[in-house]
């Protein structure tokens, strides 16, 4: 050991540092990796667990939703709005010029071709997560009472603090009357 | 103060024996019996003691509530009703805890405004002040998570809105929120972890309180004159003088507290929280607990999501740098005539912001929120730095003793002239 110590001292001013410096740095690096390895499980346990991720998709019978009506179903713990829009509502949604929108998106991109009247959206305000009220607001669509966000008949944000349009979940028509969400 | 030498003198053998091994009684004696406090402290200085007592009350009632409470999305609401109806004295324990949270915040706001008025945050008490702001933040986190536990409509939607604040963070926002929830919405995992943290945080507060009191005992207290203690006659021993004053204030405080607990137990709460949580319906008008309202008003004043969240956190963060924003060398508002006016304006602004936070976010309320939010920040970022430069302050007394007795070369100690009305030790 005393040999090494001597050596260290003589090479202390060397450009590459001493062997002891090397040991410090490697030990430190291992300690950091070790601590990170221990902390990660503690952090990651808070993420959605296997049972939450496994939440299956939901099938809905939409035959009873008449024109102008809407229903709310639960998918992944969240409300999903299924609205059978009137032709007038669809027209109103289509006629909005893109430059009036906060988060520009055509109405055709928000509904399935051939079934434009059915608007299917996650019923969660993109501001801070409240459930907006239907048939309300200054644009004939939805209104979020929490901090005053107005959505139009296409569920697009028009006024208020929310930054984005109401989200469209992944969905598929299984038949004329059944819809699968997720 | 750290400078003062210990006057602890154990009389019996056992205490002497212990003193040589673990001088805990000496620490207590030096900190809460012989500890010298400025002789001119007024009732604004009694709220720190009350806060310590409130923390103890919350912990005791909380631990017993936890013996009956069930942190399950299906059972939580009913378990709270079970506490209210079936558990012996359950109604009392719960009302003491619920209203205790409100009283805790009343006390902390008075305590903070006391600090603002008397310049308590100024050199050399910056660390003491910052620890106080840390306690305030921990209290807010604790109370927020506690309010989620009964799993009523306000619990659920309050939790949803507040956790969603983090979704404003660019890039990682959504993943952070999912991580906080442990799912894709506020649900069972959220409730469970909030209970765990609601149990933990008060003990962390207790830890920071110890640091806070330690820092206090290093620098000593401020006092209404803002002039530092210079001589023995400026101070009195903590016991009996401060102890009695604190105790009297505490009794008055408890009268108010009991009035809420026994006569208006739900006045400070919200009726919607007696409706079980429903993830599909948001109450028409959601508001947080009263003690968060000013910050909520600031959040809603901004028409932009990220902007609102940044300003809301900023309104508390600004307190951390307050010691460096206030440029005035004079500590107490008693000698700062202009600051004193602005201080009271600020108090009114804070209260009006609270009122605005309870109103729906529309029309005139939003405009007013914007004006008052702007003033809130201007107070700290513009007025305080400028006042220190332009304000003409009043002459300071030479010492605390002089300000109390009118002459500076009095003898101090117990040999005070009995005619000195402001001298507390002359009371019968
Ligand atoms: C800093 C101290 C504390 C504050 C500010 C605080 C605040 C709150 C609040 C606001 C509530 C909601 C009351 C309601 O509306 O029903 C609550 C509930 C609860 N707290 Fe605390 N708490 C504190 C300490 C504790 C501690 C140490 C425990 C120990 C486990 C605890 C256990 C509970 C339980 C079990 C509930 C649910 C029962 C109920 O809602 O009454 N709390 N707390
Ligand atoms: S949550 Fe909808 S406006 Fe804020």
């Amino acid at each position: 050991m005393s040999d090494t110590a001597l050596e260290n001292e003589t090479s202390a001013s060397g450009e590459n540092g001493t062997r002891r410096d090397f040991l410090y740095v490697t030990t430190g690096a291992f300690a950091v990796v070790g601590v990170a390895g221990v902390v990660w499980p503690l952090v990651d346990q808070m993420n959605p667990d296997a049972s939450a991720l496994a939440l299956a998709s939901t099938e809905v019978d939409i035959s009873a939703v008449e024109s102008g009506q809407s229903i709310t179903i639960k998918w992944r713990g969240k409300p999903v709005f299924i609205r059978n829009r009137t032709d007038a509502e669809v027209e109103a949604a289509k006629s909005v010029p893109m430059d009036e929108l906060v988060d520009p998106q055509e109405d055709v991109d928000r509904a399935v071709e051939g079934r434009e009247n059915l608007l299917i959206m996650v019923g969660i305000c993109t501001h801070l997560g409240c459930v907006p009220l239907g048939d309300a607001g200054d644009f004939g669509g939805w209104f979020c009472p929490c901090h005053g966000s107005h959505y139009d008949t296409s569920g697009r944000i028009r006024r208020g603090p929310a930054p984005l349009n109401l989200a469209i979940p992944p969905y598929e028509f299984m038949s004329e009357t059944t819809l699968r969400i997720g | 103060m750290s400078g003062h030498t210990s006057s602890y003198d154990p009389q019996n053998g056992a205490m002497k024996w212990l003193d040589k091994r673990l001088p805990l009684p000496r620490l207590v004696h030096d900190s809460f019996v012989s500890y010298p406090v400025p002789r001119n402290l007024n009732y604004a200085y009694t709220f720190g003691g009350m806060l310590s007592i409130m923390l103890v009350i919350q912990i005791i009632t909380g631990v017993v509530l936890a013996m009956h409470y069930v942190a399950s999305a299906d059972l939580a609401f009913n378990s709270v009703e079970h506490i209210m109806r079936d558990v012996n004295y359950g109604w009392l324990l719960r009302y003491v805890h619920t209203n205790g949270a409100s009283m805790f915040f009343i006390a902390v706001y008075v305590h903070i405004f006391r600090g603002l008025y008397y310049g308590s945050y100024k050199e050399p008490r910056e660390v003491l002040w910052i620890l106080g702001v840390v306690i305030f933040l921990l209290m807010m986190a604790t109370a927020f998570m506690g309010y989620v536990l009964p799993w009523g409509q306000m619990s659920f939607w309050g939790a949803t809105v507040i956790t969603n604040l983090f979704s404003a963070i660019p890039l990682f926002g959504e993943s952070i929120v999912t991580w906080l929830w442990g799912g894709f919405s506020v649900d069972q995992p959220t409730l469970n972890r909030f209970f765990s943290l609601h149990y933990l945080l008060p003990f962390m507060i207790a830890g920071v309180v110890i640091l806070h009191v330690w820092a206090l005992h290093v620098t000593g207290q401020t006092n209404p004159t803002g002039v530092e203690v210079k001589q023995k006659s400026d101070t009195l021993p903590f016991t009996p003088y401060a102890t009695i004053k604190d105790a009297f204030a505490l009794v008055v405080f408890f009268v108010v507290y009991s009035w809420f607990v026994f006569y208006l137990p739900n006045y400070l709460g919200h009726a919607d929280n007696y409706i079980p949580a429903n993830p599909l319906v948001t109450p028409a008008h959601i508001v947080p607990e009263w003690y968060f309202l000013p910050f909520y008003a600031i959040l809603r004043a901004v028409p932009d999501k990220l902007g609102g969240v940044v300003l809301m956190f900023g309104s508390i963060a600004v307190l951390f740098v307050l010691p460096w924003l206030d440029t005035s060398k004079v500590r107490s508002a008693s000698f700062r005539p202009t600051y004193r006016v602005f201080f009271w304006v600020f108090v009114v602004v804070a209260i009006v912001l609270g009122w605005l936070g309870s109103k729906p976010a529309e029309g005139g309320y939003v405009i007013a929120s914007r004006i008052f939010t702007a003033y809130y920040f201007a107070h700290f970022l513009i007025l305080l730095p400028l006042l220190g430069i332009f304000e003409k302050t009043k002459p300071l007394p030479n010492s605390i003793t002089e300000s109390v007795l009118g002459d500076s070369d009095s003898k101090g100690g117990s040999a005070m002239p009995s005619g000195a009305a402001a001298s507390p030790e002359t009371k019968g």
Side-chain angles (χ1 to χ4, degrees):
Chain A
M1 264 327 257
S2 61
D3 270 2
T4 340
L6 259 181
E7 240 175 78
N8 280 346
E9 248 173 71
T10 48
S11 63
S13 53
E15 273 169 47
N16 302 322
T18 63
R19 286 191 205 190
R20 183 154 297 175
D21 287 341
F22 174 76
L23 289 176
Y24 281 146
V25 173
T26 6
T27 313
F30 271 92
V32 168
V33 173
V35 168
V38 173
V39 168
W40 179 244
L42 291 173
V43 172
D44 194 39
Q45 54 83 23
M46 279 176 66
N47 270 317
D49 59 27
S51 70
L53 291 172
L55 268 188
S57 46
T58 310
E59 290 200 5
V60 206
D61 178 4
I62 49 170
S63 56
V65 191
E66 301 284 340
S67 179
Q69 287 189 336
S70 51
I71 57 168
T72 305
I73 57 125
K74 204 168 157 187
W75 170 67
R76 279 188 157 184
K78 302 177 183 195
V80 169
F81 296 154
I82 302 173
R83 177 159 180 91
N84 192 348
R85 297 185 288 178
T86 61
D87 292 337
E89 283 172 344
V90 178
E91 259 337 290
K94 283 190 168 156
S95 62
V96 179
M98 282 301 110
D99 54 7
E100 277 183 23
L101 296 177
V102 182
D103 177 17
Q105 197 179 22
E106 296 279 359
D107 187 62
V108 288
D109 297 330
R110 297 180 56 80
V112 171
E113 223 191 310
R115 309 204 65 169
E116 282 92 351
N117 288 43
L118 280 173
L119 183 62
I120 294 139
M121 307 184 294
V122 177
I124 298 235
C125 178
T126 58
H127 181 227
L128 296 174
C130 293
V131 179
L133 306 167
D135 283 319
D138 294 352
F139 299 87
W142 286 262
F143 172 69
C144 181
C146 287
H147 318 99
S149 289
H150 299 256
Y151 297 89
D152 65 14
T153 54
S154 188
R156 293 173 299 200
I157 179 67
R158 301 298 291 275
R159 191 176 344 117
L164 301 172
N165 302 334
L166 292 177
I168 309 285
Y171 67 87
E172 213 181 340
F173 290 100
M174 306 304 290
S175 71
E176 204 40 39
T177 55
T178 7
L179 172 75
R180 194 177 71 185
I181 301 171
Chain B
M1 259 158 281
S2 56
H4 105 105
T5 46
S6 179
S7 63
Y8 179 62
D9 184 19
Q11 291 306 312
N12 70 49
M15 292 311 271
K16 281 184 182 143
W17 183 89
L18 183 62
D19 191 47
K20 288 226 166 56
R21 287 156 181 85
L22 179 73
L24 183 64
R26 175 182 298 275
L27 181 69
V28 171
H29 178 92
D30 293 348
S31 309
F32 303 107
V33 180
S34 68
Y35 179 73
V37 294
R39 62 185 300 155
N40 57 342
L41 295 186
N42 58 27
Y43 278 104
Y45 284 81
T46 59
F47 284 80
M50 286 179 213
L51 284 163
S52 321
I53 304 291
M54 285 315 299
L55 181 61
V56 173
I57 292 178
Q58 289 305 91
I59 290 181
I60 293 174
T61 51
V63 168
V64 293
L65 284 172
M67 295 180 185
H68 307 278
Y69 171 79
V70 187
S72 143
D74 297 328
L75 303 172
F77 187 88
N78 288 340
S79 78
V80 171
E81 284 311 301
H82 163 75
I83 291 172
M84 295 300 292
R85 293 153 199 252
D86 303 338
V87 174
N88 300 332
Y89 293 106
W91 60 272
L92 178 64
L93 296 167
R94 173 159 181 259
Y95 281 156
V96 168
H97 194 76
T98 308
N99 289 285
S102 282
M103 297 308 288
F104 207 153
F105 277 93
I106 290 176
V108 87
Y109 284 129
V110 176
H111 194 64
I112 292 174
F113 278 109
R114 186 284 320 264
L116 295 177
Y117 189 85
Y118 291 118
S120 305
Y121 47 84
K122 289 188 191 184
E123 199 261 317
R125 296 183 182 79
E126 301 92 330
V127 173
L128 173 57
W129 171 261
I130 288 171
L131 288 168
V133 182
V134 170
I135 295 173
F136 179 48
L137 282 174
L138 287 172
M139 275 175 65
M140 299 213 275
T142 308
F144 160 64
M145 291 197 244
Y147 194 57
V148 176
L149 302 183
W151 211 240
Q153 273 291 67
M154 282 296 166
S155 302
F156 185 90
W157 291 103
T160 300
V161 168
I162 300 299
T163 48
N164 260 311
L165 292 178
F166 293 90
S167 72
I169 299 170
L171 263 39
F172 306 105
E174 291 299 332
S175 356
I176 292 176
V177 174
T178 307
W179 177 75
L180 288 173
W181 289 340
F184 302 99
S185 59
V186 171
D187 209 334
Q188 174 61 43
T190 327
L191 174 60
N192 229 143
R193 66 190 54 182
F194 277 17
F195 182 46
S196 168
L197 294 174
H198 184 69
Y199 210 131
L200 168 71
L201 288 188
F203 295 92
M204 296 185 57
I205 294 177
V208 185
V209 167
I210 290 174
L211 297 181
H212 188 72
V213 173
W214 184 8
L216 171 72
H217 285 199
V218 170
T219 60
Q221 274 158 295
T222 59
N223 64 83
T225 66
V227 176
E228 292 286 357
V229 167
K230 290 177 181 155
Q231 61 210 18
K232 191 152 188 307
S233 64
D234 289 347
T235 65
L236 292 169
F238 191 95
T239 302
Y241 299 106
T243 330
I244 288 297
K245 193 160 187 153
D246 281 356
F248 178 69
L250 188 70
V251 169
V252 174
F253 187 70
F254 275 0
V255 170
V256 180
Y257 186 3
S258 310
W259 180 58
F260 276 111
V261 168
F262 294 106
Y263 293 96
L264 298 166
N266 291 303
Y267 181 75
L268 296 167
H270 201 294
D272 277 357
N273 221 25
Y274 283 102
I275 302 170
N278 179 354
L280 299 185
V281 183
T282 307
H285 182 45
I286 70 161
V287 277
E289 291 282 81
W290 70 265
Y291 34 81
F292 295 135
L293 288 173
F295 305 104
Y296 195 59
I298 293 176
L299 168 77
R300 300 192 307 180
V302 190
D304 174 74
K305 180 166 159 178
L306 181 60
V309 174
V310 167
L311 275 204
M312 188 185 78
F313 284 110
S315 63
I316 297 165
V318 73
L319 295 174
F320 280 107
V321 287
L322 174 60
W324 295 277
L325 290 174
D326 185 345
T327 50
S328 177
K329 293 274 172 289
V330 177
R331 206 173 266 129
S332 166
S334 308
F335 302 97
R336 299 184 60 189
T338 323
Y339 172 67
R340 191 161 64 205
V341 174
F342 283 116
F343 168 85
W344 288 111
V345 173
F346 181 72
V347 172
V348 172
V349 166
I351 293 172
V352 172
L353 272 174
W355 174 75
L356 288 168
S358 73
K359 294 287 156 194
E362 54 194 34
Y365 296 128
V366 176
I367 297 166
S369 302
R370 289 189 187 146
I371 296 170
F372 282 89
T373 299
Y375 187 88
Y376 180 100
F377 284 97
H379 176 84
F380 290 108
L381 300 175
I382 300 172
L383 286 174
L384 287 186
L386 290 184
L387 272 183
I389 302 169
F390 295 111
E391 185 178 33
K392 198 166 160 353
T393 56
K394 291 202 243 167
L396 296 175
N398 288 319
S399 70
I400 296 172
T401 311
E402 184 193 272
S403 83
V404 173
L405 300 177
D407 71 304
S408 54
D409 55 357
S410 56
K411 282 154 238 102
S414 51
M416 285 294 162
S418 55
S423 174
E425 76 274 49
T426 54
K427 281 187 285 217

